[in-house]
Amino acid sequence: MTFNEVIGQQEAKDRLMQMVDEDRLPHAIMLCGPAGSGKKALAIAFACSLLDNGTTAAKAMLKKLEHPDLHFTYPTIKLPSMGSDHMPVSDDFAKEWNSLITDTPYFGMDEWMQMMGGENQQAIITAGESDELVRKLSLKSSQGGYKISLIWLPERMNIACANKLLKLIEEPPQQTLFILVSEEPDKLLETIRSRVQRIDIKRIKEDDICQALIERRGIDETAARRISRLANGSWLKALEELQAGSENELFLDMYILLMRLAYQRKIKDLRKWSEQMAGMGREKQKRWLTYFLRMTRENFMYNFQNTELNYMTQKEEDFARNFARFIHEKNILPISDLANLAIRDIGQNANAKIVFFDFALQMIVLLLQK
């Protein structure tokens, strides 16, 4: 993969290559930024540029992302077929990872969970993974250059893995570069954060998304402009807008249903709604709650009647036209706090039926605030 395949992010590309040109590349860097900003794509392109020694063999291996000195680490799950003592590691899912990453480096946790076949589990990076890294990185570079450890979502490491990784970063094997790709760096151990050079990756510029939609997806400019604005700096969101019957359609339907039932105080129907939400996988539940936060914010801003402040699809705006007045200064913060609390509870494996039914009941009170 090359930098030309990365959408936008020219400033970040220049900064990375400047460190190489000036011979001041640290042994550990961390690319931080929101989902869909292209951090993973940028990290892979950078790793490929460092490992490309100009030979035909190296180029062929990098094209397939199967270079022996490029080691991927990512969150995994435990499958029923695995032994009780087995700690899942990235190599257990190497085939699935390579299939997805060579198709496109632009994917999120939901696509990865589907690829592994475990949408109802929590994906983590286990201590077994750090043991594998120690073993792999202790070997000499096969091509005489860097050995690169690219870790996607290091914030999902359990504490045992994090502590072992810390030791590796403190005493890195010779010619080893760690590239961490994080969306929630604050969840990492402070000792790890203090030992890596952080590079913040901004949201992709609207013009860059628009150009990519035109060139890569054959979208006409008018549609590309609308989609790129709705994407709000995320290529993943731009792709969602292109997909007919996308997840957002379901999320909007569930949002509308909740608000209507809560306003009408239909307790029995709200219980059915909570059971339907509980039937989703935990990752999907968290995505819906994130969508809920965005839509609530959009409805609040809609009251100011300034189109520059809103980022909604036509269907979302059609609902907001009549509903927005119910989201106001007195309930916007409590509603947001309620959603953030639910995200925390779902992330901690709380009973989803209880979480969402309580969520729905509290929405009755909050919507009726004057």
Side-chain angles (χ1 to χ4, degrees):
M1 181 175 183
T2 68
F3 280 124
N4 289 336
E5 297 172 69
V6 179
I7 299 169
Q9 303 299 2
Q10 189 60 48
E11 183 180 338
K13 296 174 189 176
D14 292 342
R15 181 176 177 184
L16 289 169
M17 294 315 299
Q18 185 178 8
M19 289 193 295
V20 176
D21 294 340
E22 296 177 357
D23 196 24
R24 54 181 183 84
L25 182 65
H27 70 275
I29 62 175
M30 181 164 66
L31 307 184
C32 305
S37 57
K39 306 177 300 300
K40 186 173 353 82
L42 190 62
I44 294 172
F46 183 51
C48 288
S49 71
L50 294 174
L51 294 173
D52 187 355
N53 59 15
T55 65
T56 302
K59 290 183 182 298
M61 290 186 291
L62 290 171
K63 185 176 182 179
K64 296 180 180 180
L65 295 180
E66 293 179 343
H67 195 287
D69 295 324
L70 177 57
H71 306 287
F72 288 105
T73 294
Y74 34 82
T76 59
I77 58 172
K78 188 159 188 172
L79 297 174
S81 58
M82 295 176 176
S84 58
D85 295 332
H86 180 72
M87 287 189 291
V89 295
S90 296
D91 283 351
D92 292 329
F93 298 92
K95 183 178 179 180
E96 291 83 356
W97 174 264
N98 189 259
S99 175
L100 188 56
I101 201 78
T102 51
D103 181 52
T104 175
Y106 290 91
F107 60 84
M109 180 52 68
D110 51 341
E111 291 95 341
W112 177 228
M113 291 296 286
Q114 289 172 16
M115 183 64 76
M116 288 191 292
E119 291 182 82
N120 289 314
Q121 295 190 48
Q122 294 276 12
I124 65 169
I125 302 176
T126 69
E129 186 67 46
S130 52
D131 292 337
E132 279 293 291
L133 270 181
V134 170
R135 181 186 65 80
K136 292 175 180 177
L137 298 178
S138 65
L139 302 173
K140 288 185 177 181
S141 165
S142 68
Q143 304 294 306
Y146 279 107
K147 293 173 291 182
I148 298 179
S149 170
L150 197 158
I151 305 174
W152 181 49
L153 303 182
E155 57 265 34
R156 287 183 177 250
M157 292 186 294
N158 64 21
I159 191 64
C161 180
N163 283 325
K164 290 183 179 181
L165 178 65
L166 173 62
K167 187 175 181 181
L168 261 180
I169 292 177
E170 287 179 329
E171 302 173 9
Q174 189 176 10
Q175 286 185 297
T176 297
L177 170 64
F178 293 92
I179 306 178
L180 283 62
V181 181
S182 175
E183 290 176 7
E184 299 177 289
D186 291 343
K187 291 185 177 180
L188 270 170
L189 291 178
E190 169 58 30
T191 43
I192 291 181
R193 283 184 281 149
S194 66
R195 285 165 175 77
V196 301
Q197 181 167 329
R198 174 170 172 165
I199 299 175
D200 288 311
I201 307 301
K202 301 175 183 177
R203 295 181 182 277
I204 307 173
K205 293 178 181 177
E206 191 174 309
D207 286 345
D208 289 331
I209 291 180
C210 181
Q211 192 64 30
L213 287 170
I214 294 171
E215 294 178 356
R216 303 185 184 200
R217 300 286 167 160
I219 308 300
D220 67 81
E221 185 173 356
T222 300
R225 285 288 174 197
R226 182 187 65 82
I227 293 172
S228 60
R229 187 170 187 277
L230 288 171
N232 194 25
S234 169
W235 180 246
L236 295 181
K237 288 185 179 179
L239 294 181
E240 284 179 7
E241 291 298 325
L242 286 177
Q243 295 170 359
S246 69
E247 188 175 73
N248 273 12
E249 290 288 320
L250 169 63
F251 284 0
L252 175 60
D253 290 342
M254 295 301 288
Y255 183 89
I256 292 173
L257 183 59
L258 169 65
M259 295 307 186
R260 286 176 175 167
L261 294 177
Y263 180 76
Q264 296 167 4
R265 306 186 195 184
K266 292 187 175 181
I267 306 298
K268 289 184 179 180
D269 289 333
L270 284 172
R271 181 179 291 278
K272 292 179 182 178
W273 176 88
S274 65
E275 291 173 352
Q276 188 176 349
M277 287 299 304
M280 298 180 182
R282 290 192 179 273
E283 295 294 336
K284 194 169 186 177
Q285 289 165 1
K286 289 191 287 186
R287 292 199 304 277
W288 181 84
L289 287 163
T290 301
Y291 176 85
F292 173 93
L293 281 168
R294 182 182 75 80
M295 273 300 293
T296 301
R297 178 262 178 200
E298 295 295 342
N299 276 272
F300 176 68
M301 298 305 294
Y302 188 85
N303 293 308
F304 295 96
Q305 296 298 307
N306 184 343
T307 56
E308 292 299 314
L309 299 176
N310 279 117
Y311 297 85
M312 291 189 286
T313 64
Q314 189 61 56
K315 189 174 178 180
E316 289 170 341
E317 188 174 344
D318 290 342
F319 176 66
R321 191 171 296 113
N322 295 317
F323 173 72
R325 67 181 185 275
F326 294 102
I327 306 296
H328 44 74
E329 290 86 348
K330 290 187 178 180
N331 64 11
I332 179 67
L333 291 179
I335 290 176
S336 298
D337 290 341
L338 180 65
N340 283 315
L341 180 62
I343 291 173
R344 186 203 68 181
D345 290 342
I346 292 298
Q348 294 178 352
N349 290 321
N351 185 300
K353 287 184 180 179
I354 295 175
V355 170
F356 283 107
F357 189 47
D358 178 69
F359 184 89
L361 293 178
Q362 292 195 54
M363 280 305 304
I364 295 175
V365 178
L366 292 169
L367 282 181
L368 295 177
Q369 282 188 355
K370 300 294 185 181

PDB file of all heavy atoms in Angstrom, residues 165-182:
ATOM      1  N   LEU A 165       3.610  -5.135  26.906  1.00  0.00           N
ATOM      2  CA  LEU A 165       3.945  -4.252  25.794  1.00  0.00           C
ATOM      3  C   LEU A 165       4.793  -3.085  26.284  1.00  0.00           C
ATOM      4  O   LEU A 165       5.732  -2.657  25.598  1.00  0.00           O
ATOM      5  CB  LEU A 165       2.672  -3.724  25.128  1.00  0.00           C
ATOM      6  CG  LEU A 165       2.905  -2.735  23.979  1.00  0.00           C
ATOM      7  CD1 LEU A 165       3.616  -3.403  22.815  1.00  0.00           C
ATOM      8  CD2 LEU A 165       1.599  -2.115  23.504  1.00  0.00           C
ATOM      9  N   LEU A 166       4.466  -2.582  27.472  1.00  0.00           N
ATOM     10  CA  LEU A 166       5.244  -1.480  28.048  1.00  0.00           C
ATOM     11  C   LEU A 166       6.709  -1.863  28.162  1.00  0.00           C
ATOM     12  O   LEU A 166       7.598  -1.080  27.800  1.00  0.00           O
ATOM     13  CB  LEU A 166       4.681  -1.117  29.428  1.00  0.00           C
ATOM     14  CG  LEU A 166       5.492  -0.095  30.238  1.00  0.00           C
ATOM     15  CD1 LEU A 166       5.569   1.247  29.503  1.00  0.00           C
ATOM     16  CD2 LEU A 166       4.885   0.082  31.624  1.00  0.00           C
ATOM     17  N   LYS A 167       6.961  -3.072  28.626  1.00  0.00           N
ATOM     18  CA  LYS A 167       8.347  -3.520  28.764  1.00  0.00           C
ATOM     19  C   LYS A 167       9.026  -3.612  27.403  1.00  0.00           C
ATOM     20  O   LYS A 167      10.205  -3.264  27.248  1.00  0.00           O
ATOM     21  CB  LYS A 167       8.388  -4.876  29.473  1.00  0.00           C
ATOM     22  CG  LYS A 167       9.796  -5.348  29.811  1.00  0.00           C
ATOM     23  CD  LYS A 167       9.784  -6.632  30.619  1.00  0.00           C
ATOM     24  CE  LYS A 167      11.211  -7.062  30.952  1.00  0.00           C
ATOM     25  NZ  LYS A 167      11.228  -8.343  31.730  1.00  0.00           N
ATOM     26  N   LEU A 168       8.279  -4.059  26.392  1.00  0.00           N
ATOM     27  CA  LEU A 168       8.836  -4.149  25.040  1.00  0.00           C
ATOM     28  C   LEU A 168       9.194  -2.773  24.502  1.00  0.00           C
ATOM     29  O   LEU A 168      10.246  -2.585  23.871  1.00  0.00           O
ATOM     30  CB  LEU A 168       7.817  -4.806  24.102  1.00  0.00           C
ATOM     31  CG  LEU A 168       7.959  -6.290  23.777  1.00  0.00           C
ATOM     32  CD1 LEU A 168       6.847  -6.724  22.848  1.00  0.00           C
ATOM     33  CD2 LEU A 168       9.317  -6.606  23.166  1.00  0.00           C
ATOM     34  N   ILE A 169       8.318  -1.807  24.738  1.00  0.00           N
ATOM     35  CA  ILE A 169       8.566  -0.451  24.244  1.00  0.00           C
ATOM     36  C   ILE A 169       9.716   0.203  25.002  1.00  0.00           C
ATOM     37  O   ILE A 169      10.510   0.962  24.423  1.00  0.00           O
ATOM     38  CB  ILE A 169       7.278   0.402  24.363  1.00  0.00           C
ATOM     39  CG1 ILE A 169       6.218  -0.125  23.389  1.00  0.00           C
ATOM     40  CG2 ILE A 169       7.564   1.872  24.070  1.00  0.00           C
ATOM     41  CD1 ILE A 169       4.886   0.594  23.473  1.00  0.00           C
ATOM     42  N   GLU A 170       9.831  -0.106  26.306  1.00  0.00           N
ATOM     43  CA  GLU A 170      10.934   0.451  27.099  1.00  0.00           C
ATOM     44  C   GLU A 170      12.272  -0.118  26.668  1.00  0.00           C
ATOM     45  O   GLU A 170      13.295   0.577  26.676  1.00  0.00           O
ATOM     46  CB  GLU A 170      10.697   0.144  28.581  1.00  0.00           C
ATOM     47  CG  GLU A 170       9.592   0.960  29.216  1.00  0.00           C
ATOM     48  CD  GLU A 170       9.374   0.606  30.671  1.00  0.00           C
ATOM     49  OE1 GLU A 170       9.590  -0.569  31.052  1.00  0.00           O
ATOM     50  OE2 GLU A 170       8.971   1.500  31.437  1.00  0.00           O
ATOM     51  N   GLU A 171      12.282  -1.406  26.285  1.00  0.00           N
ATOM     52  CA  GLU A 171      13.517  -2.066  25.855  1.00  0.00           C
ATOM     53  C   GLU A 171      13.277  -2.718  24.494  1.00  0.00           C
ATOM     54  O   GLU A 171      13.217  -3.938  24.370  1.00  0.00           O
ATOM     55  CB  GLU A 171      13.943  -3.110  26.883  1.00  0.00           C
ATOM     56  CG  GLU A 171      14.165  -2.536  28.272  1.00  0.00           C
ATOM     57  CD  GLU A 171      14.417  -3.618  29.308  1.00  0.00           C
ATOM     58  OE1 GLU A 171      14.584  -4.797  28.908  1.00  0.00           O
ATOM     59  OE2 GLU A 171      14.438  -3.300  30.507  1.00  0.00           O
ATOM     60  N   PRO A 172      13.137  -1.897  23.447  1.00  0.00           N
ATOM     61  CA  PRO A 172      12.765  -2.440  22.128  1.00  0.00           C
ATOM     62  C   PRO A 172      13.875  -3.287  21.517  1.00  0.00           C
ATOM     63  O   PRO A 172      15.064  -2.960  21.643  1.00  0.00           O
ATOM     64  CB  PRO A 172      12.524  -1.178  21.297  1.00  0.00           C
ATOM     65  CG  PRO A 172      13.378  -0.135  21.943  1.00  0.00           C
ATOM     66  CD  PRO A 172      13.338  -0.444  23.418  1.00  0.00           C
ATOM     67  N   PRO A 173      13.487  -4.393  20.861  1.00  0.00           N
ATOM     68  CA  PRO A 173      14.491  -5.177  20.124  1.00  0.00           C
ATOM     69  C   PRO A 173      15.139  -4.308  19.049  1.00  0.00           C
ATOM     70  O   PRO A 173      14.573  -3.306  18.602  1.00  0.00           O
ATOM     71  CB  PRO A 173      13.658  -6.297  19.502  1.00  0.00           C
ATOM     72  CG  PRO A 173      12.429  -6.383  20.364  1.00  0.00           C
ATOM     73  CD  PRO A 173      12.152  -4.977  20.794  1.00  0.00           C
ATOM     74  N   GLN A 174      16.295  -4.688  18.619  1.00  0.00           N
ATOM     75  CA  GLN A 174      17.045  -3.901  17.636  1.00  0.00           C
ATOM     76  C   GLN A 174      16.260  -3.741  16.336  1.00  0.00           C
ATOM     77  O   GLN A 174      15.606  -4.676  15.882  1.00  0.00           O
ATOM     78  CB  GLN A 174      18.392  -4.588  17.361  1.00  0.00           C
ATOM     79  CG  GLN A 174      19.349  -3.742  16.521  1.00  0.00           C
ATOM     80  CD  GLN A 174      20.698  -4.422  16.354  1.00  0.00           C
ATOM     81  OE1 GLN A 174      20.848  -5.578  16.699  1.00  0.00           O
ATOM     82  NE2 GLN A 174      21.674  -3.701  15.837  1.00  0.00           N
ATOM     83  N   GLN A 175      16.316  -2.529  15.770  1.00  0.00           N
ATOM     84  CA  GLN A 175      15.683  -2.191  14.490  1.00  0.00           C
ATOM     85  C   GLN A 175      14.168  -2.431  14.498  1.00  0.00           C
ATOM     86  O   GLN A 175      13.595  -2.807  13.483  1.00  0.00           O
ATOM     87  CB  GLN A 175      16.318  -3.000  13.348  1.00  0.00           C
ATOM     88  CG  GLN A 175      17.708  -2.522  12.938  1.00  0.00           C
ATOM     89  CD  GLN A 175      18.219  -3.286  11.743  1.00  0.00           C
ATOM     90  OE1 GLN A 175      18.408  -4.500  11.810  1.00  0.00           O
ATOM     91  NE2 GLN A 175      18.425  -2.587  10.639  1.00  0.00           N
ATOM     92  N   THR A 176      13.542  -2.188  15.632  1.00  0.00           N
ATOM     93  CA  THR A 176      12.104  -2.399  15.749  1.00  0.00           C
ATOM     94  C   THR A 176      11.371  -1.071  15.855  1.00  0.00           C
ATOM     95  O   THR A 176      11.784  -0.175  16.591  1.00  0.00           O
ATOM     96  CB  THR A 176      11.775  -3.263  16.982  1.00  0.00           C
ATOM     97  OG1 THR A 176      12.371  -4.556  16.823  1.00  0.00           O
ATOM     98  CG2 THR A 176      10.267  -3.434  17.145  1.00  0.00           C
ATOM     99  N   LEU A 177      10.283  -0.948  15.110  1.00  0.00           N
ATOM    100  CA  LEU A 177       9.426   0.232  15.177  1.00  0.00           C
ATOM    101  C   LEU A 177       8.017  -0.202  15.563  1.00  0.00           C
ATOM    102  O   LEU A 177       7.441  -1.104  14.948  1.00  0.00           O
ATOM    103  CB  LEU A 177       9.386   0.946  13.824  1.00  0.00           C
ATOM    104  CG  LEU A 177       8.352   2.073  13.673  1.00  0.00           C
ATOM    105  CD1 LEU A 177       8.660   3.230  14.621  1.00  0.00           C
ATOM    106  CD2 LEU A 177       8.271   2.568  12.236  1.00  0.00           C
ATOM    107  N   PHE A 178       7.470   0.432  16.593  1.00  0.00           N
ATOM    108  CA  PHE A 178       6.088   0.199  17.004  1.00  0.00           C
ATOM    109  C   PHE A 178       5.218   1.326  16.444  1.00  0.00           C
ATOM    110  O   PHE A 178       5.527   2.502  16.645  1.00  0.00           O
ATOM    111  CB  PHE A 178       5.962   0.168  18.526  1.00  0.00           C
ATOM    112  CG  PHE A 178       6.652  -0.996  19.180  1.00  0.00           C
ATOM    113  CD1 PHE A 178       7.957  -0.889  19.631  1.00  0.00           C
ATOM    114  CD2 PHE A 178       5.993  -2.207  19.326  1.00  0.00           C
ATOM    115  CE1 PHE A 178       8.593  -1.956  20.224  1.00  0.00           C
ATOM    116  CE2 PHE A 178       6.617  -3.290  19.924  1.00  0.00           C
ATOM    117  CZ  PHE A 178       7.931  -3.168  20.375  1.00  0.00           C
ATOM    118  N   ILE A 179       4.143   0.960  15.764  1.00  0.00           N
ATOM    119  CA  ILE A 179       3.172   1.943  15.287  1.00  0.00           C
ATOM    120  C   ILE A 179       1.827   1.589  15.907  1.00  0.00           C
ATOM    121  O   ILE A 179       1.207   0.584  15.550  1.00  0.00           O
ATOM    122  CB  ILE A 179       3.051   1.957  13.745  1.00  0.00           C
ATOM    123  CG1 ILE A 179       4.421   2.156  13.085  1.00  0.00           C
ATOM    124  CG2 ILE A 179       2.092   3.069  13.307  1.00  0.00           C
ATOM    125  CD1 ILE A 179       4.375   2.122  11.560  1.00  0.00           C
ATOM    126  N   LEU A 180       1.370   2.396  16.845  1.00  0.00           N
ATOM    127  CA  LEU A 180       0.086   2.182  17.494  1.00  0.00           C
ATOM    128  C   LEU A 180      -0.964   3.041  16.799  1.00  0.00           C
ATOM    129  O   LEU A 180      -0.695   4.197  16.456  1.00  0.00           O
ATOM    130  CB  LEU A 180       0.152   2.535  18.978  1.00  0.00           C
ATOM    131  CG  LEU A 180       0.821   1.534  19.935  1.00  0.00           C
ATOM    132  CD1 LEU A 180       2.291   1.318  19.589  1.00  0.00           C
ATOM    133  CD2 LEU A 180       0.709   2.008  21.382  1.00  0.00           C
ATOM    134  N   VAL A 181      -2.136   2.478  16.590  1.00  0.00           N
ATOM    135  CA  VAL A 181      -3.230   3.187  15.922  1.00  0.00           C
ATOM    136  C   VAL A 181      -4.415   3.207  16.882  1.00  0.00           C
ATOM    137  O   VAL A 181      -5.054   2.175  17.108  1.00  0.00           O
ATOM    138  CB  VAL A 181      -3.621   2.504  14.594  1.00  0.00           C
ATOM    139  CG1 VAL A 181      -4.744   3.278  13.907  1.00  0.00           C
ATOM    140  CG2 VAL A 181      -2.412   2.391  13.671  1.00  0.00           C
ATOM    141  N   SER A 182      -4.696   4.383  17.443  1.00  0.00           N
ATOM    142  CA  SER A 182      -5.659   4.444  18.549  1.00  0.00           C
ATOM    143  C   SER A 182      -6.783   5.436  18.298  1.00  0.00           C
ATOM    144  O   SER A 182      -6.571   6.511  17.723  1.00  0.00           O
ATOM    145  CB  SER A 182      -4.929   4.839  19.850  1.00  0.00           C
ATOM    146  OG  SER A 182      -5.839   5.012  20.910  1.00  0.00           O
TER     147      SER A 182
END
